[in-house]
Amino acid sequence: MNGGATVNLTAPTTGTYQGVLIYQDRRATLSNQSNKVNGNSASKLQGAVYVASQEVEFTGTTGLNTNCFQLVARRITWSGNSAITNVCPAGSGAQSFTGTAVRLVG
């Protein structure tokens, strides 16, 4: 997502992937790829993003307004004026990834 992009995505509320917005198979061989949100992106993402072998970058004046955004990534980079407003209300699918802690793993 770049420049003036506005993307509104919501994870399914039922089924096998309930609460999962984006999923990358952990067996995928694209470990050096990067997912970027930068510029003046004003997007709404609701659900979990699982890209365990890839990097996610938030740069520039990135802004996300989310009802429930959860992120599992190999590396997360924040720079510039990046910001996320995030709340996970009951019934939002937050149970897709259990636990309520932020962990930095090296």
Side-chain angles (χ1 to χ4, degrees), residues 46 66-70 86-95:
Q46 181 175 340
T66 67
N67 288 338
C68 189
F69 182 67
Q70 300 163 64
N86 194 37
V87 176
C88 289
S92 65
Q95 69 279 7

Side-chain angles (χ1 to χ4, degrees), residues 14-44:
T14 61
T16 303
Y17 295 101
Q18 175 182 348
V20 179
L21 183 64
I22 298 171
Y23 175 82
Q24 173 204 22
D25 190 317
R26 61 183 87 168
R27 297 170 293 181
T29 58
L30 302 173
S31 61
N32 293 326
Q33 300 298 311
S34 182
N35 303 281
K36 298 179 182 184
V37 179
N38 60 36
N40 294 316
S41 299
S43 299
K44 184 173 183 174

Side-chain angles (χ1 to χ4, degrees), residues 72-98:
V72 175
R74 180 172 180 241
R75 177 179 292 137
I76 303 168
T77 303
W78 299 89
S79 63
N81 297 320
S82 302
I84 289 181
T85 301
N86 194 37
V87 176
C88 289
S92 65
Q95 69 279 7
S96 297
F97 294 101
T98 57

